[in-house]
Amino acid sequence: MKQNIFYPPSRTLMGPGPSDVPARVLQALAKPTLGHLDPCFIELMNHIQKLLRATFLTKNPLTLPISAPGSAGMEACFVNLVEPKEKVLICQNGVFGTRMEEIVKRIGGQAILVKDDWGRAVDPEKVEDALKTHPDTAILAFVHGETSTGALSDAKILGQLAQKYDCLSIVDAVTTLGGVELQVDDWSLDAVYSGTQKCLSAPPGLSPVTFSPRAVEKIKQRKSPILSWFLDLKLILQYWDDDSNKRTYHHTAPVNGLYGLLEALTILQEEGLEQAWSRHKRMHNLLKKRLEKLDLQFMVPENERLPQLNSIVVPEKLNAEQVRAYVLEKFNLEIGAGLGPMAGKIWRIGLMGASASINNVSLCATALEESLNMA
Ligand code: PLP
């Protein structure tokens, strides 16, 4: 740090997010700031909404980026859709399912938990049993890709269960959007939220969300007020509703952040969604090959793995934190630590968005090989 000017080091980001941000996105962020009601900016907002629909694979009119990180998208879904005392069935197989429980309790909902081991996908049979036991469940909530462990759950089957038992689904797609298949309309998902700093490779700070017409109807029919002013979608829509030509002020949008998001979504469309999903899978397979040669083990069973978040068991002879510090210092490479009960037990290696590249896989395998040799 010189004279209060900050020069960040140029790292390779292979943790649980943020991922590497391409130069094109960084350049977009540096474009001149416009007023958030400038006609040119409003054009850009329409464009972002179109690209978000194309990324979520939905026609949902209510699709927009919340002006805050993924946690705000999560909270927006729950505060808008859950009324006090309603039953919310929450699938818990890692940290982010526990956050859902915390939010539901704070807003006066009744959280019913379906727990699976950390490191395993959500078991749809257990979910169906719980839905049979609680036929008055209003919402089924689950994390598509649990970033705390790297387990990928079957959002299609869980979405079908929500439909079958006549409840709405809330889906955490923070780590999955752009990295693995996610079909909001075809899988009949109702409220889906994501984050910009994972497989979209934009900086952190925005949370794309999409709500089905069924979810919008529920919000319209609410009997109790929405507990958050900032996240009240009826108010946010005064600014983001692209049906009206009269966008009005709700809050000052993060203008430059939205330039970055537009560029990141454009890059994803240029590559093609399906191509991006298969690149993540290919890079995961390559990493797996390299790490297995080093006798490193994955925490999650092979058929339940999230390609973009690889939880690797730390060998007993190594100190997890020392290795992370070493690869950061020597290779300028960030890998993630274990969260909560997994702290010190696993490393979380992200292959998200632009970070899912052959160069990154090579660098990471070399850095870990060197760390193992030093032990
Ligand atoms: N949900 C999942 C699955 C996540 O991985 C994260 C962040 O890592 C969040 C929610 C919260 O997102 P944010 O940290 O952007 O608030």
Side-chain angles (χ1 to χ4, degrees):
M1 185 102 92
K2 273 189 206 152
Q3 294 165 351
N4 295 329
I5 297 172
F6 180 55
Y7 298 98
S10 182
R11 307 274 200 221
T12 299
L13 299 178
M14 297 184 72
S19 55
D20 289 340
V21 178
R24 265 176 69 180
V25 175
L26 293 174
Q27 282 153 13
L29 290 164
K31 287 179 183 168
T33 302
L34 288 172
H36 60 282
L37 289 170
D38 187 298
C40 294
F41 186 69
I42 286 180
E43 234 176 80
L44 170 137
M45 291 167 72
N46 292 335
H47 210 58
I48 286 179
Q49 286 182 290
K50 279 196 193 116
L51 286 173
L52 280 181
R53 289 186 193 110
T55 308
F56 275 122
L57 295 172
T58 184
K59 294 193 174 64
N60 290 341
L62 181 45
T63 302
L64 53 88
I66 300 275
S67 303
S71 308
M74 183 189 282
E75 209 150 77
C77 290
F78 287 98
V79 291
N80 281 278
L81 287 175
V82 178
E83 296 223 53
K85 300 204 170 62
E86 270 185 346
K87 277 190 184 170
V88 183
L89 205 145
I90 299 170
C91 307
Q92 253 182 16
N93 60 341
V95 164
F96 294 98
T98 63
R99 290 203 181 166
M100 288 176 162
E101 178 188 359
E102 177 68 27
I103 295 174
V104 167
K105 284 182 174 163
R106 283 182 187 222
I107 58 179
Q110 204 183 324
I112 313 283
L113 305 180
V114 178
K115 294 193 180 197
D116 279 292
D117 289 343
W118 285 39
R120 299 301 307 268
V122 171
D123 179 350
E125 272 184 33
K126 282 194 202 167
V127 175
E128 182 151 21
D129 288 346
L131 287 167
K132 282 181 185 154
T133 311
H134 299 279
D136 51 345
T137 297
I139 310 259
L140 169 65
F142 62 90
V143 181
H144 187 201
E146 224 338 314
T147 329
S148 59
T149 63
L152 175 64
S153 293
D154 193 329
K156 181 177 180 183
I157 297 220
L158 294 170
Q160 280 166 356
L161 283 176
Q163 292 269 322
K164 182 172 168 190
Y165 290 89
D166 199 24
C167 43
L168 294 175
S169 52
I170 294 184
V171 184
D172 181 318
V174 170
T175 290
T176 49
L177 185 67
V180 288
E181 184 175 12
L182 172 68
Q183 306 259 5
V184 170
D185 284 1
D186 281 4
W187 299 351
S188 306
L189 306 175
D190 292 298
V192 186
Y193 60 91
S194 188
T196 42
Q197 76 275 27
K198 313 263 185 184
C199 297
L200 301 183
S201 270
L206 292 166
S207 177
V209 295
T210 186
F211 288 77
S212 70
R214 273 193 341 144
V216 172
E217 202 42 42
K218 166 129 200 221
I219 298 171
K220 282 190 189 150
Q221 302 299 328
R222 276 185 74 104
K223 291 172 204 81
S224 57
I226 291 165
L227 289 175
S228 163
W229 177 86
F230 183 63
L231 295 174
D232 181 336
L233 282 166
K234 287 189 254 179
L235 299 178
I236 292 178
L237 269 182
Q238 293 169 3
Y239 184 54
W240 273 101
D241 187 358
D242 66 353
D243 265 355
S244 87
N245 290 320
K246 293 192 217 111
R247 291 181 189 264
T248 54
Y249 169 71
H250 171 260
H251 63 278
T252 310
V255 170
N256 292 58
L258 290 166
Y259 299 165
L261 177 59
L262 177 77
E263 196 65 29
L265 293 171
T266 305
I267 292 173
L268 183 54
Q269 290 302 321
E270 284 170 3
E271 178 180 13
L273 255 188
E274 290 186 11
Q275 285 77 2
W277 301 336
S278 59
R279 172 171 52 83
H280 283 86
K281 185 79 184 161
R282 274 201 317 280
M283 293 308 117
H284 162 77
N285 286 336
L286 198 59
L287 182 76
K288 171 173 167 272
K289 236 185 186 167
R290 296 287 302 266
L291 298 192
E292 282 176 353
K293 276 193 192 146
L294 303 175
D295 277 337
L296 289 170
Q297 311 292 325
F298 281 74
M299 177 190 173
V300 177
E302 192 153 359
N303 58 347
E304 296 175 15
R305 279 181 205 156
L306 185 61
Q308 57 268 44
L309 195 285
N310 300 270
S311 284
I312 307 297
V313 180
V314 177
E316 273 181 15
K317 60 183 178 176
L318 290 182
N319 175 305
E321 277 313 293
Q322 274 173 8
V323 170
R324 286 198 336 110
Y326 175 74
V327 300
L328 188 70
E329 159 99 30
K330 173 116 195 261
F331 292 89
N332 248 323
L333 169 67
E334 178 180 280
I335 60 172
L339 267 188
M342 303 323 297
K345 296 188 181 145
I346 55 169
W347 293 303
R348 290 181 303 149
I349 301 180
L351 290 169
M352 301 180 181
S355 294
S357 71
I358 293 180
N359 283 352
N360 281 17
V361 170
S362 258
L363 176 71
C364 181
T366 307
L368 287 179
E369 184 171 12
E370 201 169 295
S371 308
L372 288 172
N373 289 341
M374 283 180 15

